[in-house]
Amino acid sequence: MNGIGNEPELSRIIQLVIEGWGAFFCLVAIIVISQTRWADRKKADGLIRFLIADGLLLLSDVFAIGFRGQEGTVAFFIVRIANLLVFAMGYLVIVSGVSYFAGLIEERVGVSIKNWKMIEYVIGIIGVLMVMINLFVPFDCVKCLWVFSPAPFLCHSRRVD
């Protein structure tokens, strides 16, 4: 992932900066909303949950991109944990976003959409569970089989022949 002279690639630096600023913006938005949530506490809490999930997703992606291609055991585990958080937080962003927007729709339209929220929660939980299962029992797309290993994090580092 390094360019000429072992310097980081420009696209990688740009991606790190953009995602870092996104995480910082989420933090600032959380602070501002928490200071002004007296107007509508329920909506503010839903938006704060959404921004926390999105901020954690962006921050995890910063760590995953920053340590990708680095050598060493610490970098190996940081990339694995950060990637796990990126994929799991993606589902949690969807669930928290649907919850927030469903609350807005229910209030403005006056229609109950609890069934849709429940379906989205189930899909989100299944998604997070599948990410966790894939961490411990990864899928080899080339041979179309599940790779079992007694050391879960080491599954990703070995080749299945």
Side-chain angles (χ1 to χ4, degrees):
M1 278 295 193
N2 289 337
I4 300 171
N6 210 16
E7 292 292 321
E9 294 177 1
L10 181 62
S11 64
R12 184 174 169 178
I13 292 172
I14 291 172
Q15 191 174 8
L16 283 170
V17 169
I18 290 172
E19 300 230 10
W21 273 107
F24 178 73
F25 173 75
C26 286
L27 177 67
V28 170
I30 289 167
I31 292 169
V32 169
I33 293 168
S34 66
Q35 296 296 319
T36 60
R37 69 178 170 184
W38 52 267
D40 191 350
R41 189 168 181 83
K42 185 177 177 184
K43 284 187 214 172
D45 288 344
L47 189 56
I48 287 173
R49 281 192 300 271
F50 178 73
L51 287 169
I52 287 172
D54 190 35
L56 287 175
L57 176 123
L58 292 170
L59 192 63
S60 301
D61 211 13
V62 166
F63 280 105
I65 294 167
F67 283 92
R68 189 173 297 137
Q70 303 292 325
E71 295 180 7
T73 307
V74 174
F76 175 80
F77 284 112
I78 287 176
V79 170
R80 294 295 178 259
I81 293 168
N83 281 334
L84 170 73
L85 288 173
V86 167
F87 293 120
M89 286 296 146
Y91 287 106
L92 293 178
V93 165
I94 292 171
V95 169
S96 61
V98 165
S99 177
Y100 173 70
F101 291 116
L104 290 177
I105 291 170
E106 281 180 336
E107 181 181 308
R108 292 186 181 173
V109 179
V111 176
S112 177
I113 52 176
K114 292 186 190 298
N115 292 337
W116 287 108
K117 282 176 32 177
M118 187 58 66
I119 290 170
E120 190 61 41
Y121 289 153
V122 169
I123 290 171
I125 290 169
I126 290 172
V128 171
L129 287 175
M130 291 304 290
V131 168
M132 296 297 285
I133 289 171
N134 192 43
L135 174 70
F136 294 104
V137 187
F139 187 75
D140 183 11
C141 295
V142 175
K143 294 198 171 197
C144 294
L145 57 92
W146 295 97
V147 182
F148 294 94
S149 171
F153 280 113
L154 299 179
C155 292
H156 296 284
S157 64
R158 66 182 173 90
R159 181 175 170 84
V160 177
D161 292 324

